[in-house]
Amino acid sequence: MIKSILLLAHTDESGVTLPNSAYESLGAAMALAQQSGAALAIGLIGADVQSAADTIAGAGASQILAVSGPDFAQPRAASDAQAAEALARAVSVDLILAPATSRFLRSLPALAHRLQGRVDTHVTSLRANGDELAATRWFYRQRIEGVFTRGERPWIVLLDSGCHQPRHGSSVHAAVEQIPVVLTGPAKRTTVTGIRVPKSDAQTIRPDAALLFVAGAGWTKKQLDGKTHPEEAEKLILEFLRVSSASLGGSKSLVDQSGENQAVLRFMTHLNQVGQTGATPRHPKGLSTCCHGEEPHVVGWRFINERRAINLDPNCGWARGKADVLYVANAFEVIAKLNEILEQRATHLPQAAVASD
């Protein structure tokens, strides 16, 4: 039986608000608290959390606690684990929820050890069934859905993004109780000297994008003229990503070509692979191009709400019930025309409006 829930969250890169996944976890925590009748408390970590706390002030939490200060501005496993421990010990808690961010995935397993509890990551949903709390997650690379429960307390659960509707409280001033934490030398040993990120036009993995664009091996195969056109394919795909703000995925057969001495798309890596990776892309829409749509690839599309595909073969795998819409057409021609249309619209509409279509 769950009597109390603690939601942990940290500020995002701006330092003034929470990442979207934290608001999704807040929605899950509020729903679970309503189902079980448990009290909900919120613990925040960051340099200055007041602005972030104000965005969730009306969420119905009995307490909003914080560990804040310059030492907690950047992600660091040792200091984050110590801050989370202080927040957890400040309230009597049975269940600790947190978004599955890279920051918490590194630090909260240590929290479970310190509290002698249990931790589960990549959980997609939680539900209360009487006195029992059940968690759901995917196993064997998204092929098997498992439902399980644990008797150990506290139970720490990290929730995957894209599984719950984000919830915001009314934006009013929040009463935040500061929990003092003094870091010793070992906890401050790691320092962040800087952040290296690719240029915005070189970034191809965008988890929050409205559209997932998946390229198949057909982009590097011989086309209607009997020749391959990888350079043209690269230009068309990168231009589409730029004008649409889409995220890029690739079939396994395409990303594997780099080790087979075949023509490749130079910007495509195994990090872009959809299917057979254990990755869980969750985008509102998906567009697959030059891909035959075998089952392992379709597994990666399990959580895409609307699937469309472009393929010259009317009998491709996508035509057999795996796509909502199949365009029997040349992907080179279709994407070139789309780029032209989107470029024209971009000159008249804000980028956000273009990306949302």
Side-chain angles (χ1 to χ4, degrees):
M1 182 176 182
I2 299 297
K3 295 182 179 179
S4 56
I5 301 171
L6 173 64
L7 172 69
L8 292 178
H10 59 76
T11 53
D12 63 7
E13 292 82 358
S14 69
V16 296
T17 189
L18 303 176
N20 190 62
S21 58
Y23 293 110
E24 295 177 6
S25 296
L26 175 61
M30 293 171 64
L32 186 60
Q34 186 176 11
Q35 290 177 16
S36 62
L40 173 63
I42 299 175
L44 303 177
I45 301 172
D48 183 357
V49 303
Q50 186 61 56
S51 297
D54 291 346
T55 65
I56 57 174
S62 59
Q63 293 175 279
I64 298 181
L65 313 172
V67 172
S68 60
D71 287 335
F72 304 98
Q74 298 291 343
R76 182 171 48 196
S79 56
D80 287 342
Q82 193 166 332
E85 180 185 7
L87 292 168
R89 295 191 184 279
V91 294
S92 177
V93 63
D94 301 312
L95 176 68
I96 299 176
L97 297 181
T101 62
S102 60
R103 184 170 182 173
F104 277 159
L105 285 169
R106 292 194 303 268
S107 59
L108 293 195
L111 173 63
H113 175 73
R114 295 180 182 208
L115 299 180
Q116 296 183 341
R118 290 294 184 272
V119 61
D120 283 289
T121 60
H122 298 296
V123 172
T124 56
S125 68
L126 283 165
R127 66 176 183 271
N129 185 12
D131 292 340
E132 187 177 75
L133 178 65
T136 301
R137 65 159 295 173
W138 293 90
F139 296 91
Y140 187 51
R141 302 188 179 187
Q142 317 302 322
R143 287 167 170 79
I144 299 174
E145 184 182 39
V147 181
F148 61 97
T149 187
R150 290 192 183 276
E152 296 89 352
R153 298 292 183 266
W155 187 10
I156 303 171
V157 175
L158 284 87
L159 296 168
D160 267 350
S161 62
C163 300
H164 301 87
Q165 288 295 325
R167 294 286 296 273
H168 299 260
S170 55
S171 185
V172 296
H173 183 75
V176 179
E177 179 183 348
Q178 293 289 337
I179 306 298
V181 173
V182 179
L183 299 180
T184 58
K188 301 171 65 174
R189 183 174 54 191
T190 301
T191 59
V192 179
T193 60
I195 299 176
R196 291 185 179 183
V197 297
K199 294 180 180 179
S200 59
D201 58 352
Q203 179 67 42
T204 62
I205 299 176
R206 301 162 181 158
D208 295 327
L211 175 68
L212 175 66
F213 178 89
V214 179
W219 283 100
T220 60
K221 303 299 183 182
K222 291 182 179 180
Q223 301 305 310
L224 297 178
D225 60 358
K227 300 178 181 179
T228 61
H229 299 275
E231 296 83 4
E232 182 184 355
E234 288 185 349
K235 181 179 178 181
L236 287 172
I237 293 173
L238 287 176
E239 180 66 11
F240 181 80
L241 296 178
R242 183 185 69 82
V243 296
S244 68
S245 297
S247 186
L248 177 65
S251 65
K252 185 177 186 298
S253 54
L254 177 60
V255 300
D256 280 350
Q257 288 181 5
S258 59
E260 299 172 357
N261 297 320
Q262 297 186 40
V264 297
L265 303 180
R266 288 170 293 179
F267 51 81
M268 184 73 72
T269 72
H270 281 83
L271 294 176
N272 297 101
Q273 184 176 325
V274 178
Q276 295 189 333
T277 61
T280 313
R282 287 181 170 87
H283 300 267
K285 298 180 181 180
L287 176 64
S288 180
T289 56
C290 288
C291 185
H292 45 73
E294 76 271 21
E295 181 59 28
H297 173 60
V298 176
V299 167
W301 287 64
R302 189 183 299 275
F303 305 102
I304 305 299
N305 297 329
E306 180 182 317
R307 314 176 198 180
R308 300 192 178 208
I310 304 173
N311 198 304
L312 273 173
D313 181 8
N315 296 313
C316 78
W318 284 107
R320 296 193 292 271
K322 296 187 178 73
D324 299 300
V325 178
L326 173 68
Y327 302 100
V328 181
N330 186 315
F332 279 76
E333 297 175 358
V334 172
I335 298 304
K337 187 62 177 178
L338 272 176
N339 290 344
E340 179 184 340
I341 295 173
L342 291 173
E343 189 67 54
Q344 292 175 353
R345 295 184 61 186
T347 62
H348 301 93
L349 294 175
Q351 184 63 29
V354 175
S356 65
D357 283 351

